[in-house]
Amino acid sequence: MKTTLLALAWSLSAGFPGHAAPADDWAPTAPREEIRPEFQRAEAGGRSGRAALVIRADEREGLHGWWQRTFPVTAGQHYRFTAWRRTENVALPRRSVLARVLWRDDAGNQVPRREGVVTNYSHGVVASAEPEYPRDVVAKSAGHDGWVEVSGVYEAPLGATEARVELHLLWAPNGKVEWSDVAFLPTEAPPPRRVRLAAVHYRPRNAKTPMDACRQFAPLIEEAARRQADLVALGETLTYAGTGSSYAECAETIPGPSTDYFGELAKQHALYVVCGLIERDQHQLFNVAILVGPDGKMAGKYRKVCLPDGEFDKGISPGDDYPVFDTRLGKIGMMICYDGFFPEVARELSNRGAEIIAWPVWGCNPDQARARACENHVYLVSSTYEDVSRNWMLTGVCGQDGRVLTQAKEWGTVCVAEVDLNQRTLWPWLGDFKAQIPRHRPFTRGE
């Protein structure tokens, strides 16, 4: 098919308050002529029927091109990018169909970013304002005949006078994308989403029954509430750890007595509680993490997927799913102990949108805890039975950059960290890495 190069006079659905509408046309662009796909404007196409920007690849591998246009910006002002995209014959849209926003100065050069960048690595580096990667909003996009919203809100950095918007198709033989209803408009800064995350450093002792072990956590949950925690994480298999009985003797149905007890405490103190228990489901036993909400009801359950020696050989069955739970705090996932030795568990939770991972963990390598937080840009809340003198797993909260934000070092204490789930973590050379993970992570078979 012959490549069509069109000069476009593309009007947005709304103008820029305080600015004339940009005069630049959308222009078709490719990294090299030999990998250039076909570009076309569909006058009556698009989600709204006004027009669509189309990119179509032939049967060859490796084609790549994008539409681009430049918009004027004011440093310090926030802007909302929105667009809708619809694909045909694109095997992996998360990698092959993407939008980027690039910040530029009057000369079209990249601008530095001197504030808000991680500085505990790459000492002395002056970071650049790296490209922004708007995200697919699939849940909000359902029911629009294949159209998916792509959006994001960004603050123009100091020195930026332009934003170059790019709409890509790459690595999709015989694939096609239509881009529609593109807008880049001033908006208000997103409000903060501050959440207080707590972890309990305690292992129950000398409990005669599973309920005795549960009751030992009551004053610690009360302490977390006194310090205004929104979520508190307890230890793994806490009824088993406290009684010294067998897995089968400590197992219970879920929901059951222990979840009811922690539900009462969660409701009394108006917070979320994560606790590690042993579940009985007919003839099977599972190592589980339970999320109970401030309404006193069970809000989520995760069955441990990765089972070590001492569990599978004693009759524990593995889970097979990675649920993420939508709460008033944000999206919460859970994993348990040995799961942390494998990057796949935390990665799949983050793939499904987890912003916080609660982690009851008997013991683990603390470097892996920091890695799980850093590589997924999530907040990790861990509660362990390890003493700090052993230099093994810690009870604490890790930030999106892998740093330990807070740690409980004494037995019977609680640590609390306040985080803002809307605060982006920016890196030298990477920018907002969390936004890039869906676009750049390797594909897996079965996707």
Side-chain angles (χ1 to χ4, degrees), residues 122-411:
S122 300
H123 298 295
V125 170
V126 177
S128 297
E130 301 294 338
E132 314 285 6
Y133 283 80
R135 303 187 188 189
D136 293 347
V137 191
V138 178
K140 290 175 59 178
S141 306
H144 288 289
D145 299 324
W147 290 98
V148 173
E149 181 184 358
V150 184
S151 63
V153 174
Y154 310 105
E155 181 182 3
L158 292 176
T161 59
E162 300 178 343
R164 190 173 80 199
V165 174
E166 301 176 347
L167 311 172
H168 288 249
L169 176 69
L170 65 163
W171 313 329
N174 295 311
K176 171 187 172 184
V177 62
E178 300 171 80
W179 291 96
S180 173
D181 297 330
V182 185
F184 190 80
L185 302 172
T187 191
E188 298 297 320
R193 285 194 295 146
R194 294 191 177 92
V195 175
R196 292 180 66 81
L197 305 174
V200 165
H201 192 51
Y202 181 72
R203 178 176 175 176
R205 303 284 184 181
N206 303 318
K208 294 181 179 179
T209 67
M211 187 53 61
D212 286 343
C214 293
R215 291 192 182 102
Q216 293 183 30
F217 286 93
L220 297 166
I221 294 173
E222 181 179 3
E223 171 64 12
R226 187 189 68 78
R227 296 175 62 182
Q228 300 181 311
D230 297 298
L231 178 146
V232 58
L234 314 182
E236 179 187 12
T237 59
L238 59 87
T239 52
Y240 168 76
T243 63
S245 302
S246 69
Y247 291 139
E249 289 171 326
C250 297
E252 60 188 270
T253 58
I254 303 292
S258 296
T259 58
D260 290 345
Y261 177 75
F262 286 117
E264 291 173 5
L265 293 177
K267 186 174 183 178
Q268 176 186 343
H269 297 297
L271 45 59
Y272 287 88
V273 175
V274 174
C275 55
L277 300 171
I278 302 291
E279 177 189 19
R280 173 174 287 279
D281 186 354
Q282 299 183 43
H283 62 284
Q284 294 190 90
L285 303 182
F286 296 92
N287 186 340
V288 296
I290 302 298
L291 175 69
V292 292
D295 60 358
K297 299 178 181 179
M298 193 172 82
K301 177 179 72 175
Y302 165 73
R303 289 173 167 173
K304 186 176 181 179
V305 170
C306 302
L307 300 182
D309 293 339
E311 291 188 34
F312 76 83
D313 54 352
K314 288 183 170 56
I316 299 289
S317 297
D320 60 5
D321 196 13
Y322 307 91
V324 171
F325 306 99
D326 210 348
T327 75
R328 73 182 190 189
L329 306 182
K331 294 183 181 297
I332 298 174
M334 295 177 285
M335 63 183 190
I336 303 170
C337 199
Y338 197 51
D339 287 332
F341 282 90
F342 302 92
E344 293 87 350
V345 178
R347 173 48 53 88
E348 188 54 34
L349 292 171
S350 71
N351 288 347
R352 299 186 184 194
E355 300 169 287
I356 301 164
I357 295 178
W359 190 16
V361 46
W362 199 295
C364 187
N365 186 332
D367 289 340
Q368 290 173 302
R370 291 188 282 268
R372 299 297 86 84
C374 179
E375 67 199 6
N376 296 294
H377 271 217
V378 296
Y379 292 100
L380 195 68
V381 192
S382 57
S383 176
T384 186
Y385 297 143
E386 293 289 336
D387 189 89
V388 294
S389 63
R390 299 179 68 170
N391 192 30
W392 198 230
M393 191 53 202
L394 55 84
T395 292
V397 180
C398 291
Q400 293 182 335
D401 61 357
R403 288 182 301 131
V404 177
L405 303 180
T406 185
Q407 180 182 357
K409 296 182 179 180
E410 302 295 330
W411 290 114

Side-chain angles (χ1 to χ4, degrees), residues 19-195:
H19 293 281
D24 293 346
D25 295 332
W26 289 95
T29 308
R32 303 192 313 277
E33 191 64 30
E34 64 183 330
I35 61 171
R36 187 185 192 91
E38 178 186 1
F39 296 88
Q40 185 179 26
R41 179 179 180 179
E43 297 287 351
R47 177 171 171 266
S48 61
R50 289 195 292 269
L53 296 169
V54 181
I55 311 175
R56 190 191 308 267
D58 60 28
E59 71 283 356
R60 292 175 294 160
E61 298 277 357
L63 298 194
H64 179 194
W66 63 88
W67 294 100
Q68 76 178 39
R69 184 176 181 175
T70 300
F71 301 99
V73 299
T74 300
Q77 170 69 54
H78 283 77
Y79 294 86
R80 175 178 292 278
F81 168 86
T82 56
W84 292 79
R85 55 91 167 161
R86 183 167 66 180
T87 62
E88 294 180 20
N89 299 323
V90 177
L92 204 57
R94 70 168 179 84
R95 293 188 79 206
S96 293
V97 180
L98 60 92
R100 293 201 309 174
V101 178
L102 295 83
W103 306 109
R104 295 292 184 261
D105 62 17
D106 286 333
N109 298 319
Q110 196 171 19
V111 298
R113 188 184 287 277
R114 300 184 182 277
E115 297 181 356
V117 180
V118 171
T119 57
N120 50 318
Y121 302 98
S122 300
H123 298 295
V125 170
V126 177
S128 297
E130 301 294 338
E132 314 285 6
Y133 283 80
R135 303 187 188 189
D136 293 347
V137 191
V138 178
K140 290 175 59 178
S141 306
H144 288 289
D145 299 324
W147 290 98
V148 173
E149 181 184 358
V150 184
S151 63
V153 174
Y154 310 105
E155 181 182 3
L158 292 176
T161 59
E162 300 178 343
R164 190 173 80 199
V165 174
E166 301 176 347
L167 311 172
H168 288 249
L169 176 69
L170 65 163
W171 313 329
N174 295 311
K176 171 187 172 184
V177 62
E178 300 171 80
W179 291 96
S180 173
D181 297 330
V182 185
F184 190 80
L185 302 172
T187 191
E188 298 297 320
R193 285 194 295 146
R194 294 191 177 92
V195 175

Side-chain angles (χ1 to χ4, degrees), residues 416-435:
V416 181
E418 182 173 281
V419 302
D420 179 0
L421 298 182
N422 274 349
Q423 179 65 49
R424 301 193 303 161
T425 298
L426 305 176
W427 294 79
W429 299 297
L430 288 173
D432 183 0
F433 177 62
K434 186 171 187 175

